[in-house]
Amino acid sequence: MTLQGHYDSMHQVRCITERHEPRPGGELVATIRPCIFKTLQVSHNGGATWSTASANVRFLFCDVYIATTGSDVAGFGTPDRPYATLQRGIEAALGKPRAYHTYAPKDFTSKEVRGSSMFKQARFGVARPRIQNKGFGYYINRDRLIVEMGTFAGNGNHALHPLGKMLEITAKVRGTVVLDCGNSGMGSTIPTGDRHATEDVTNTGSISFFGVQETNCNQQTYFPRPSGY
C-alpha cells in the first residue's frame, strides 16, 4: 500500500491510511488477532528508492486491550498481552489528536481546516463557507480501549488523566466492566487536570465510556478552612 504524506511542519508528517478491517475469524488465543502489524518504508523521490523496512519501526493497527489478568510491565496492550490498568492503556494510546477536516470544500482544497473555528460565515463583508464541526469520528489519532470483564479498582483505574488524547473506553461485553473509585473522593476521570495537546478544543483531552459501570465515584472537593476560623 502506497500513501502520500503531508508535511504539517518541518518536524511532523501526516499520512492517513485506508481503513483496515480486523482480521477475519475474531480473536485467537495466544495471538494478536484481530490486530495487524505493518512495517513502514519512506520515499522522498516519488518511489524511485525506499528506506529499508525495520521491525523496530512498525505500526500496530489495534485497539488497546485492558484486563485484570494483564500486566502494566510485560503487557503490550494486545489481546494476548493486555495491560492491567486503564491509565497504562491511556498512556499507550495514540496522542496528538488533530481535527483536520480531510474533506474541505473545493474552494479550500489547498488548506488544512482545523474544525469549525477557522472559517466564519463572513469576513471583511465577504461571505465565506462555514466548516461544521464533524465530531469525534473526524479526528485523526483518536483511539479506543477495549476492557475485558472484571472490576477495576485502585491506582490507575480512577481519576484518569486523558493526557490530551481523544479516547473511547469500551467494555468488551456491555455491563461486565465495573470501575470502582473506592470512595476516594475522586471521580472516574480528571478531564481538566492537565493540558497536553496542541489543538485548542482538545488540549485537555476527552474520555468517553461505553458499557462501563461506575461505583463509589462520589467526587468531592476539599477546601481546607483558613486558620483562625
Side-chain angles (χ1 to χ4, degrees):
M1 179 185 299
T2 302
L3 299 169
Q4 184 177 1
H6 303 271
Y7 282 90
D8 292 333
S9 69
M10 294 182 62
H11 306 287
Q12 181 172 281
V13 178
R14 171 169 49 92
C15 183
I16 302 178
T17 69
E18 297 178 2
R19 179 180 175 87
H20 282 64
E21 297 294 340
R23 286 183 175 179
E27 294 183 19
L28 185 63
V29 177
T31 72
I32 68 170
R33 285 183 177 268
C35 306
I36 303 171
F37 268 122
K38 293 280 188 178
T39 56
L40 176 68
Q41 292 176 275
V42 179
S43 173
H44 291 285
N45 53 17
T49 58
W50 294 86
S51 62
T52 303
S54 171
N56 296 323
V57 182
R58 58 182 183 173
F59 290 91
L60 175 64
F61 288 84
C62 190
D63 295 322
V64 181
Y65 283 77
I66 313 294
T68 56
T69 57
S71 170
D72 285 351
V73 177
F76 288 154
T78 53
D80 59 327
R81 299 180 67 175
Y83 294 123
T85 64
L86 299 174
Q87 190 65 56
R88 179 65 184 90
I90 292 172
E91 293 171 358
L94 291 173
K96 296 185 179 180
R98 303 193 294 282
Y100 298 156
H101 195 307
T102 57
Y103 303 99
K106 293 181 180 180
D107 293 346
F108 299 98
T109 51
S110 63
K111 294 181 179 292
E112 299 291 355
V113 182
R114 307 187 180 201
S116 61
S117 62
M118 184 171 181
F119 297 112
K120 303 299 183 182
Q121 289 180 323
R123 184 180 180 186
F124 302 117
V126 179
R128 301 285 184 180
R130 184 175 180 85
I131 306 301
Q132 299 298 321
N133 191 337
K134 295 295 183 178
F136 187 87
Y138 281 75
Y139 278 80
I140 60 174
N141 285 355
R142 64 187 188 276
D143 215 338
R144 178 170 63 177
L145 278 61
I146 301 295
V147 188
E148 301 278 357
M149 178 178 64
T151 298
F152 292 80
N155 293 334
N157 287 314
H158 70 280
L160 301 173
H161 287 246
L163 303 180
K165 302 179 180 184
M166 296 285 286
L167 303 171
E168 294 178 343
I169 298 180
T170 304
K172 185 176 181 181
V173 178
R174 187 179 182 87
T176 63
V177 175
V178 178
L179 194 159
D180 188 350
C181 298
N183 291 317
S184 62
M186 304 295 288
S188 57
T189 64
I190 305 180
T192 59
D194 47 18
R195 296 178 180 270
H196 295 266
T198 56
E199 296 296 330
D200 55 346
V201 295
T202 59
N203 61 3
T204 60
S206 170
I207 298 178
S208 301
F209 291 96
F210 295 92
V212 177
Q213 303 178 48
E214 297 182 16
T215 185
N216 301 321
C217 294
N218 53 337
Q219 185 169 353
Q220 300 174 355
T221 303
Y222 172 67
F223 296 99
R225 176 177 292 183
S227 60
Y229 285 85

